Amino acid sequence: MLQLLIDADACPVVDLALFISSQYEIKPILFCDTSHTIERENAITITVPKGPDSVDFKLVNAVSRYDIVITQDYGLAAMCLAKGAFVIDQNGREMTSDNIAQLLAFRFESAKIRRSGGRIKGPKKRTEKNNISFEMKFRQICERAILEKKGG
């Protein structure tokens, strides 16, 4: 059975993703640390001790080929892609082997600027358009994952 693994700490599309994944009979698993305990009906919640990357490591150890991961963490996305998973962020941007290197480079440069005292613009305020973009792309990925797992 396909799994949906959600990096649930501060993820604004948990409920939408759970609703959609139920339509495709994809098993949802929420990953969070003890400071963000998230429980939802019809989803497994895995809570890990608070610590740097503790959620990421637990999630990447649970992911399998063709699973779907929702995260905004490019490092976690890269590890999941290496295991053959599909990865999408909360705004509907799919992370792939074609764009992950560029995203990681951007993350590195942004961190370098912040470490030297510079400022980086934060994300724009979330809109309904973000939810629509997420839903459309997430449905496409669900369908692709099902087809690819079946060998089609």
Side-chain angles (χ1 to χ4, degrees):
M1 173 180 248
L2 281 176
Q3 300 182 115
L4 167 64
L5 298 92
I6 303 175
D7 183 3
D9 294 344
C11 180
V13 293
V14 169
D15 293 325
L16 179 57
L18 294 178
F19 173 73
I20 294 167
S21 67
S22 71
Q23 295 174 339
Y24 290 95
E25 298 180 355
I26 297 172
K27 176 179 150 188
I29 307 172
L30 307 175
F31 291 81
C32 56
D33 67 28
T34 53
S35 62
H36 298 97
T37 302
I38 300 166
E39 300 282 337
R40 295 292 192 279
E41 195 174 309
N42 302 321
I44 297 167
T45 298
I46 297 178
T47 306
V48 299
K50 193 173 176 185
D53 302 320
S54 59
V55 169
D56 298 353
F57 292 127
K58 190 73 170 177
L59 191 152
V60 85
N61 283 323
V63 74
S64 299
R65 184 177 174 107
Y66 307 117
D67 285 345
I68 302 167
V69 176
I70 300 173
T71 185
Q72 56 187 335
D73 181 317
Y74 301 147
L76 174 58
M79 291 186 284
C80 293
L81 288 170
K83 292 186 85 173
F86 295 89
V87 183
I88 183 173
D89 74 8
Q90 73 278 1
N91 295 324
R93 174 174 43 195
E94 183 175 4
M95 292 173 239
T96 67
S97 58
D98 293 332
N99 68 6
I100 195 65
Q102 181 181 2
L103 294 170
L104 287 168
F106 174 76
R107 180 181 79 162
F108 175 77
E109 290 301 320
S110 296
K112 207 161 78 172
I113 291 167
R114 285 191 302 275
R115 277 194 308 273
S116 68
R119 295 183 58 110
I120 301 288
K121 267 187 163 182
K124 293 179 183 173
K125 185 175 177 169
R126 189 165 183 79
T127 66
E128 184 58 28
K129 185 178 177 191
N130 296 123
N131 288 339
I132 293 167
S133 296
F134 171 81
E135 180 175 353
M136 288 174 49
K137 188 59 154 179
F138 184 56
R139 286 184 183 280
Q140 290 173 3
I141 290 172
C142 288
E143 290 168 14
R144 277 195 353 244
I146 290 167
L147 274 176
E148 287 189 28
K149 185 157 185 163
K150 285 182 181 175

